[in-house]
Amino acid sequence: MRILLIEDDTSLAKGLKEVLEREGYRVSLALDGKRGYELALSDGFDLIILDLLLPSMRGEEVLKSLRRSGVKTPVLMLTVVSDLSKKIDLFSLGADDYLTKPFHLEELLARIRAIIRRSSGNISDIIEVGEVKIETNKKRVLVNGREITLTAAEYAVLEYLCLNRGRYISRDEIVERCLSYRNVPESNTVEVFISRIRKKLGYKDFIKSLRGFGYKVE
């Protein structure tokens, strides 16, 4: 999953980027509002984390401009403002959620998972496909009740395929949405991940493939 983080506090931004990438997300970082707005327009993201107080272009202006431009990417606002009217204003501008600073990382991660689930049409934090059960809040995968161990990248690929159940996902989309810079793809990287996931699940046909179209979970 691709996340755009727009935050001008360099220390906080780098720390959050590291945490999110460790969780398996692919993160792009912008340190000011104008740059963040440009990135949000030019690239496809699953979520935008947007600070309210930004140089060059304030967070609410970025949000307003994105919605006016037709960008529907979910936006999670970060704000030090606890005033209720300000929070209501953010929702009216098109924010999907907000988190007041300072915050616990566990809460941020939980809100990120919830927003991504909702945007893909999944309300529950549990995804079940046949005998495979994914607990997204714990990033845990069970097959017939038995927990299996996946790497962060393997989990990201499996979760993305299951969230997009029934649709073929191309190799390029998997690379773009699921693999961080730590997993710089070679020509057969996606195939290797899919092979490992199939082997760990114990179901060769759980992930179907079709040449020229990609991979699909039914």
Side-chain angles (χ1 to χ4, degrees):
M1 298 290 183
R2 293 197 66 201
I3 293 178
L4 172 59
L5 174 61
I6 309 174
E7 168 62 63
D8 67 315
D9 184 323
T10 304
S11 178
L12 175 60
K14 290 182 177 179
L16 288 178
K17 186 174 188 292
E18 182 178 338
V19 168
L20 292 172
E21 288 179 337
R22 196 161 57 236
E23 288 291 314
Y25 299 106
R26 184 173 179 177
V27 183
S28 296
L29 176 62
L31 296 174
D32 66 77
K34 184 177 180 181
R35 177 56 179 160
Y37 175 68
E38 292 170 349
L39 284 175
L41 288 176
S42 62
D43 287 310
F45 295 93
D46 298 287
L47 175 67
I48 298 171
I49 301 176
L50 176 61
D51 187 33
L52 184 62
L53 302 177
L54 293 168
S56 76
M57 192 173 181
R58 288 176 60 88
E60 59 261 57
E61 186 58 35
V62 172
L63 177 60
K64 185 189 301 183
S65 298
L66 287 175
R67 295 307 187 226
R68 284 178 175 172
S69 299
V71 175
K72 298 179 180 179
T73 307
V75 175
L76 169 61
M77 300 294 302
L78 300 181
T79 173
V80 295
V81 179
S82 58
D83 181 64
L84 178 60
S85 62
K86 171 57 72 174
K87 294 174 181 177
I88 292 174
D89 287 343
L90 293 177
F91 281 121
S92 68
L93 290 175
D96 294 84
D97 200 354
Y98 69 86
L99 193 57
T100 304
K101 294 180 179 180
F103 52 82
H104 293 287
L105 286 174
E106 291 82 0
E107 183 178 4
L108 173 64
L109 293 173
R111 288 176 183 266
I112 288 172
R113 289 191 293 267
I115 292 173
I116 290 176
R117 283 200 312 271
R118 290 198 301 269
S119 66
S120 64
N122 292 273
I123 299 175
S124 172
D125 60 4
I126 295 176
I127 304 170
E128 292 190 77
V129 182
E131 303 301 327
V132 177
K133 179 179 180 180
I134 302 176
E135 298 177 350
T136 60
N137 59 335
K138 299 177 181 178
K139 292 191 175 295
R140 192 167 74 140
V141 178
L142 299 98
V143 179
N144 289 315
R146 177 180 59 86
E147 184 173 358
I148 65 169
T149 302
L150 299 177
T151 65
E154 290 167 352
Y155 175 87
V157 172
L158 177 62
E159 182 188 67
Y160 190 72
L161 288 172
C162 289
L163 284 172
N164 290 275
R165 183 178 179 181
R167 178 170 73 87
Y168 275 107
I169 307 297
S170 70
R171 177 190 179 276
D172 289 344
E173 185 174 345
I174 290 174
V175 171
E176 184 75 8
R177 298 288 185 175
C178 304
L179 303 182
S180 72
Y181 73 92
R182 292 188 177 92
N183 299 299
V184 178
E186 298 178 358
S187 60
N188 67 336
T189 297
V190 172
E191 289 77 9
V192 170
F193 276 117
I194 296 296
S195 177
R196 289 175 181 171
I197 295 168
R198 285 170 170 162
K199 184 175 181 180
K200 290 182 179 182
L201 292 177
Y203 293 105
K204 183 179 179 180
D205 294 330
F206 183 80
I207 300 175
K208 301 184 183 300
S209 60
L210 183 62
R211 185 179 296 275
F213 288 86
Y215 301 91
K216 177 175 70 171
V217 169
E218 293 184 330

